[in-house]
Amino acid sequence: DQQVKQNSPSLSVQEGRISILNCDYTNSMFDYFLWYKKYPAEGPTFLISISSIKDKNEDGRFTVFLNKSAKHLSLHIVPSQPGDSAVYFCAASNSGNTPLVFGKGTRLSVIA
Amino acid sequence: DAGVIQSPRHEVTEMGQEVTLRCKPISGHNSLFWYRQTMMRGLELLIYFNNNVPIDDSGMPEDRFSAKMPNASFSTLKIQPSEPRDSAVYFCASTKSIHPMGNEQFFGPGTRLTVL
């Protein structure tokens, strides 16, 4: 059973607009969440993280929002750029004890 | 630093053959992870090591899969015998500590395995 779900396999966004990628989790013990970005023929690379003591973390054009009551997090990219086109993986962990659990990924295409 | 190194980058083999995937983690990293990526299941953890010791292999799909880490700078994932359903991209990742918070996992470029 998938503990981390990314229900949208793909997303297309116009350059300059906002991209919103969503992620849901089922394990209430998860308290640390990350987003990884993956280009073709490369391994995933860390993008941004958030701990459950926060509800928002921002890094430049990237912002992650966490809604603990809904067990939902989202990644906002604004403005979106063609170089952001990649597969984005959401991951979660019970920070003290368990390794990361990844979702299936969402393929983002930013159209110029 | 060269990052996590995986070899081979591509492997094509026939069903029933033995396949060995190799990984060199980043120097100084104490934890190593093997993942498999497929369209159906996404990125799934197969096994991870801490200080060269296997900690959890519950993600290994079958007894045909085995992994070793004889020293801090080398790990192998072996499939014997291989089957077409093993076709996937296999990633190795390393990190300084087994605890995820504040310890980014660095991934290798992956090995694309095709079993005919």
Side-chain angles (χ1 to χ4, degrees):
Chain A
D1 188 29
Q2 283 259 313
Q3 297 187 71
V4 176
K5 300 178 184 179
Q6 294 178 256
N7 293 321
S8 298
S10 63
L11 174 68
S12 288
V13 172
Q14 203 76 26
E15 180 180 6
R17 299 288 187 106
I18 185 171
S19 296
I20 300 176
L21 295 95
N22 294 304
C23 178
D24 297 293
Y25 61 96
T26 57
N27 188 337
S28 58
M29 298 298 291
F30 287 151
D31 60 1
Y32 186 59
F33 306 89
L34 307 90
W35 286 93
Y36 275 76
K37 177 178 179 179
K38 183 186 176 307
Y39 291 119
E42 295 183 10
T45 55
F46 170 75
L47 186 58
I48 192 169
S49 65
I50 188 168
S51 129
S52 60
I53 61 173
K54 293 184 173 182
D55 54 18
K56 175 183 174 182
N57 189 27
E58 190 172 351
D59 183 2
R61 296 185 297 112
F62 302 90
T63 303
V64 56
F65 295 92
L66 176 62
N67 182 334
K68 291 185 287 294
S69 60
K71 294 192 180 69
H72 177 84
L73 65 154
S74 60
L75 174 68
H76 292 212
I77 306 173
V78 56
S80 302
Q81 299 174 353
D84 297 329
S85 297
V87 176
Y88 289 79
F89 289 98
C90 172
S93 169
N94 175 351
S95 60
N97 298 303
T98 63
L100 300 178
V101 178
F102 285 84
K104 291 185 178 182
T106 296
R107 182 178 301 277
L108 173 66
S109 299
V110 180
I111 304 162
Chain B
D1 199 321
V4 176
I5 299 172
Q6 290 187 247
S7 64
R9 292 295 308 275
H10 302 274
E11 176 82 28
V12 180
T13 191
E14 293 189 345
M15 182 173 64
Q17 296 298 305
E18 176 179 299
V19 174
T20 299
L21 311 181
R22 297 173 175 79
C23 176
K24 176 177 167 53
I26 292 173
S27 177
H29 282 191
N30 297 318
S31 301
L32 183 141
F33 304 79
W34 282 101
Y35 292 91
R36 177 171 70 175
Q37 183 192 8
T38 61
M39 290 291 291
M40 289 295 296
R41 302 177 69 87
L43 199 58
E44 41 175 355
L45 178 65
L46 301 178
I47 184 171
Y48 67 98
F49 297 83
N50 192 45
N51 293 322
N52 312 337
V53 176
I55 303 300
D56 186 352
D57 65 354
S58 60
M60 297 284 259
E62 298 172 34
D63 290 345
R64 300 183 295 106
F65 286 69
S66 63
K68 293 182 180 179
M69 192 165 185
N71 57 62
S73 58
F74 184 65
S75 177
T76 59
L77 177 68
K78 186 175 291 186
I79 309 173
Q80 166 63 18
S82 58
E83 296 183 2
R85 60 193 167 124
D86 301 331
S87 298
V89 181
Y90 291 81
F91 290 102
C92 175
S94 71
T95 183
K96 289 181 181 177
S97 167
I98 202 168
H99 301 293
M101 189 174 284
N103 290 299
E104 175 188 343
Q105 281 192 23
F106 290 84
F107 283 78
T111 296
R112 180 173 294 278
L113 173 64
T114 302
V115 183
L116 303 174

